[in-house]
Amino acid sequence: KKSTMLASARPLITRTAVRSIYTLPDLKYGYAELEPIISGQIMEIHHSKHHNTYVTNLNAATEQLAEAQEKNDVTGIIQLQQAIKFNGGGHLNHSIFWENLAPPSKGGGGAPTGELATLIDEKFGSFDAMKTKLSASTVAVQGSGWGWLGYDKSTDSVAITTCFNQDPLQATTGLVPLFGIDVWEHAYYLDYKNVRPDYVNAIWGLANWSDVEARLAAAKK
């Protein structure tokens, strides 16, 4: 099994002096503000430990990549690709995830409006149908990964898909990420134990549709 509670909390790459090209983003809400759906304890560990480790490792890997390129070390360049994909994906995915969520007091929950709602209705028939399909796909991810609602620029439509581990959606599928659900165990295990469906069903109560709608608008430009 590839995921454990603290799998991504341990740095995979260590350097004594790494330039901080990438940084851990601040949250727009306190760790405890997503309770009771996500506990403050999980949020603090998830953001300050797990996401921070992806940032640390991405900075180290990109610095090593620059050194390998300077040396024309093709073997070294190739060896670093997986670390960049995993940690870069972890950084991208979580940066979206935090903004995809909001406490109900700050707009979390409810339903999408405007063009996003129209595209969802056109593709899935209704918002509830989309929720059911995305929830089922996300719960079914084997091991660790993400469920995504994405935008397909080629067809001007939305689509549902899943990604394993920390594979970044756009780089691996071409879909622009709109709304993601993290189903690595560290995202929910302290609260929901092994009952992943309860976590996935509950997280809709925190969906920040204004953020998702803004991502769609940006993708369509």
Side-chain angles (χ1 to χ4, degrees):
K1 186 175 182 178
K2 293 185 178 180
S3 71
T4 64
M5 275 295 298
L6 298 177
S8 63
R10 294 189 296 268
L12 303 176
I13 303 169
T14 57
R15 298 276 295 175
T16 55
V18 177
R19 294 187 294 271
S20 294
I21 302 171
Y22 306 100
T23 59
L24 182 69
D26 293 331
L27 301 184
K28 297 179 180 178
Y29 42 81
Y31 288 140
E33 286 190 73
L34 301 186
E35 294 183 345
I37 295 175
I38 303 177
S39 69
Q41 183 183 18
I42 277 189
M43 284 299 300
E44 183 174 4
I45 294 171
H46 199 175
H47 176 256
S48 69
K49 302 297 184 183
H50 292 279
H51 189 175
N52 192 53
T53 298
Y54 295 128
V55 171
T56 299
N57 288 338
L58 178 60
N59 281 323
T62 52
E63 183 173 7
Q64 291 176 24
L65 177 64
E67 293 172 356
Q69 289 172 328
E70 289 176 4
K71 298 175 182 177
N72 198 28
D73 178 4
V74 177
T75 297
I77 292 169
I78 294 170
Q79 288 174 333
L80 287 163
Q81 297 309 303
Q82 182 56 36
I84 291 171
K85 179 182 179 183
F86 181 77
N87 293 290
H91 178 45
L92 287 172
N93 293 339
H94 286 86
S95 295
I96 296 167
F97 184 62
W98 308 133
E99 295 191 350
N100 274 175
L101 304 179
S105 62
K106 296 181 180 178
T113 59
E115 189 168 14
L116 176 62
T118 299
L119 289 179
I120 288 172
D121 288 346
E122 288 176 352
K123 184 63 177 282
F124 303 104
S126 69
F127 172 54
D128 285 341
M130 185 278 289
K131 284 175 60 178
T132 298
K133 184 175 177 63
L134 179 54
S135 294
S137 298
T138 304
V139 168
V141 170
Q142 294 184 345
S144 302
W146 293 74
W148 287 102
L149 177 69
Y151 175 66
D152 187 338
K153 290 186 176 184
S154 66
T155 60
D156 188 28
S157 64
V158 291
I160 285 172
T161 192
T162 59
C163 293
F164 291 112
N165 298 317
Q166 294 296 351
D167 288 1
L169 183 67
Q170 189 166 6
T172 58
T173 71
L175 296 174
V176 179
L178 300 177
F179 179 74
I181 303 175
D182 184 354
V183 285
W184 278 69
E185 285 186 347
H186 61 238
Y188 64 88
Y189 202 87
L190 288 176
D191 291 340
Y192 296 90
K193 303 300 187 283
N194 63 325
V195 190
R196 182 187 282 181
D198 286 357
Y199 157 72
V200 171
N201 290 331
I203 205 167
W204 293 100
L206 300 173
N208 182 1
W209 294 112
S210 63
D211 175 71
V212 181
E213 289 159 11
R215 292 180 186 280
L216 175 63
K220 291 174 71 69
K221 288 181 180 178

